[in-house]
Amino acid sequence: MNDLLNPEEIYLRYITKYDDKDLEALLIAYREGLYLFLLSYVKNEEDAEELMMDTFAKLAVDRPSFDPVRAGSFKSWLYAIAWNNALMHIRKHKMEAVPIEENTAVSTDTPESTLIKDERDRMLYKALLSLKPEYRRALTLLYLEDFSHDEIALAMGVKKKQIYNFLERGKTALKSKLKEMGIEDL
């Protein structure tokens, strides 16, 4: 997911030297996770893609200052910016969440093991979609993005104690949903 050795330094170099290659490196490293995070808010692939690009546009145009002492990691700071963009988008459009298609693209010419993994991933994603949004976001940030509890709290704009509650309740709900779907060994 994130292969950057020091994204903080890359961003700080970008805002001082204006080298688009630095911003591109950050985009490549974070776009997928950020897109999935935003999708959990807006439930629309096009909106999530647009908000992800808006987040990087904000970095490119506004060049907000990053303070690791105040903001924590670069990744949690970036997700907090994306979260604010998503909230503004939701308020502006007073939108109703539209679920994404269940059938994600799965190539039929992949090996059997890949198909099985893709099917399990799809089932897990479907189970995640059935959870309360705050549980889904917290679990996604913890397990898919490797965020710490502090980083999750920062990215979601809630207190750390709430994150513990979201994660505990989310795990219980996810386990129950997967069991309901006939999956107990995931």
Side-chain angles (χ1 to χ4, degrees):
M1 281 187 195
N2 180 356
D3 296 333
L4 293 180
L5 297 176
N6 194 337
E8 292 89 357
E9 285 182 15
I10 291 173
Y11 180 69
L12 293 174
R13 185 175 62 216
Y14 170 73
I15 61 175
T16 57
K17 297 188 178 182
Y18 307 111
D19 187 351
D20 288 337
K21 290 178 186 175
D22 291 328
L23 188 62
E24 183 179 351
L26 294 170
L27 174 65
I28 290 168
Y30 292 108
R31 71 174 158 211
E32 185 177 316
L34 201 57
Y35 167 79
L36 291 173
F37 175 70
L38 290 163
L39 186 61
S40 75
Y41 279 94
V42 296
K43 306 287 188 291
N44 179 291
E45 293 174 343
E46 292 160 359
D47 288 343
E49 180 77 22
E50 183 178 326
L51 287 167
M52 184 266 303
M53 293 307 292
D54 287 349
T55 301
F56 283 98
K58 183 173 183 65
L59 295 184
V61 175
D62 297 344
R63 292 182 171 86
S65 62
F66 169 71
D67 178 9
V69 174
R70 192 173 62 87
S73 74
F74 175 81
K75 189 174 184 179
S76 60
W77 175 76
L78 179 66
Y79 276 62
I81 292 171
W83 174 68
N84 284 326
N85 285 346
L87 290 180
M88 287 188 304
H89 176 80
I90 290 167
R91 283 184 200 130
K92 179 180 176 184
H93 296 286
K94 296 180 184 172
M95 57 188 275
E96 190 67 31
V98 178
I100 64 166
E101 294 290 326
E102 278 186 34
N103 298 325
T104 55
V106 176
S107 176
T108 57
D109 60 350
T110 60
E112 183 178 286
S113 61
T114 303
L115 287 174
I116 291 169
K117 182 187 177 310
D118 287 347
E119 179 62 23
R120 290 171 63 102
D121 289 350
R122 229 178 62 221
M123 296 292 280
L124 178 60
Y125 186 69
K126 184 177 180 181
L128 277 169
L129 284 176
S130 73
L131 301 180
K132 288 184 175 182
E134 59 271 14
Y135 299 168
R136 180 176 56 249
R137 288 180 202 115
L139 288 170
T140 300
L141 291 173
L142 181 69
Y143 292 116
L144 300 179
E145 295 299 323
D146 296 324
F147 271 35
S148 70
H149 291 83
D150 289 330
E151 291 172 323
I152 297 170
L154 179 64
M156 290 180 63
V158 297
K159 295 181 180 179
K160 189 175 176 181
K161 182 174 173 59
Q162 287 177 286
I163 295 304
Y164 286 108
N165 289 334
F166 291 165
L167 290 171
E168 186 61 34
R169 292 177 184 158
K171 288 175 192 176
T172 302
L174 182 60
K175 185 176 182 180
S176 174
K177 183 63 178 177
L178 288 170
K179 189 173 183 179
E180 205 177 279
M181 295 169 75
I183 302 172
E184 296 187 38
D185 63 342
L186 193 59

